[in-house]
Amino acid sequence: AIAKNNSKNGWPKLMGHVTVVAYPSRTVKCHLAANCKIDLVRGQYQKPTPTGARRRQQPKIASITRKKANKHTIRFKHKGCDLGRLPLQIARWLCPLLDAEAIHITSTCIYSPKAKLTPVDQIVLDVAIHLN
């Protein structure tokens, strides 16, 4: 969600900034320069399938390999390239506010080590939180 500060009375208003250390989910060839814009996208949450008739139709192996759904996910992207997700400690309190449309968030890259990012490289992001 992108915050625009040209509406009436200066809304949405800047609430503050949070500095976040995030890690890429996989190896990516994507150079992040200092002060480049990073897109933050709310992850899609799908409720688990209900028990009963549907569960009986699925093979038994599917229930073993099914992953637990995570409803607190905020992905970060640069130029359409999915890089990773914000840490769970930050996403846990941002997601309910985003779902309630109480805030908008924007982000810029403060530090990225190199052009080829691996899952052990730290990416430092500045997340700006704007009240609606």
Side-chain angles (χ1 to χ4, degrees):
I2 298 172
K4 294 182 181 177
N5 208 7
N6 55 3
S7 59
K8 290 184 179 180
N9 299 328
W11 286 92
K13 294 195 184 264
L14 179 65
M15 184 172 134
H17 291 268
V18 178
T19 302
V20 178
V21 176
Y23 297 90
S25 355
R26 57 190 167 83
T27 302
V28 181
K29 290 182 181 179
C30 184
H31 179 66
L32 299 175
N35 295 325
C36 71
K37 182 183 171 193
I38 302 292
D39 297 323
L40 297 174
V41 180
R42 176 75 170 94
Q44 298 297 321
Y45 172 66
Q46 295 178 348
K47 293 182 181 177
T49 57
T51 58
R54 276 191 168 180
R55 187 172 185 181
R56 282 186 231 119
Q57 293 173 357
Q58 296 175 350
K60 292 181 182 179
I61 297 172
S63 63
I64 295 170
T65 60
R66 186 181 310 144
K67 293 181 180 178
K68 185 178 177 183
N70 187 2
K71 59 183 176 180
H72 302 293
T73 304
I74 299 174
R75 311 280 313 166
F76 62 95
K77 299 180 178 188
H78 178 63
K79 295 183 180 177
C81 178
D82 185 29
L83 298 175
R85 63 182 184 178
L86 292 183
L88 191 57
Q89 296 87 354
I90 303 295
R92 263 195 195 130
W93 60 269
L94 280 178
C95 286
L97 295 170
L98 287 170
D99 292 342
E101 297 181 1
I103 62 170
H104 287 287
I105 54 177
T106 58
S107 180
T108 56
C109 178
I110 296 174
Y111 172 76
S112 176
K114 51 191 170 186
K116 185 177 181 182
L117 299 171
T118 60
V120 295
D121 294 331
Q122 293 182 349
I123 300 172
V124 181
L125 302 174
D126 177 48
V127 178
I129 302 168
H130 301 268
L131 289 174
N132 282 338

